[in-house]
Amino acid sequence: MQATIITIGDEILIGQIVDTNSAWMSHELNQIGVNV
């Protein structure tokens, strides 16, 4: 199984904040066998 994570938003696109949610989600999906 494969997954793609798409993030949007001004904060993400202009680099005002670090996108920790995608890193967490990728880790959790990998733990259950989903390739991100």
Side-chain angles (χ1 to χ4, degrees), residues 11-22:
E11 297 88 359
I12 301 294
L13 295 175
I14 59 177
Q16 288 181 348
I17 62 168
V18 176
D19 182 13
T20 57
N21 290 335
S22 293

Side-chain angles (χ1 to χ4, degrees), residues 1-3 5 22-36:
M1 186 179 298
Q2 293 185 328
I5 298 172
S22 293
W24 173 82
M25 190 179 305
S26 295
H27 175 75
E28 294 296 316
L29 287 169
N30 279 315
Q31 291 295 312
I32 62 170
V34 178
N35 293 325
V36 179

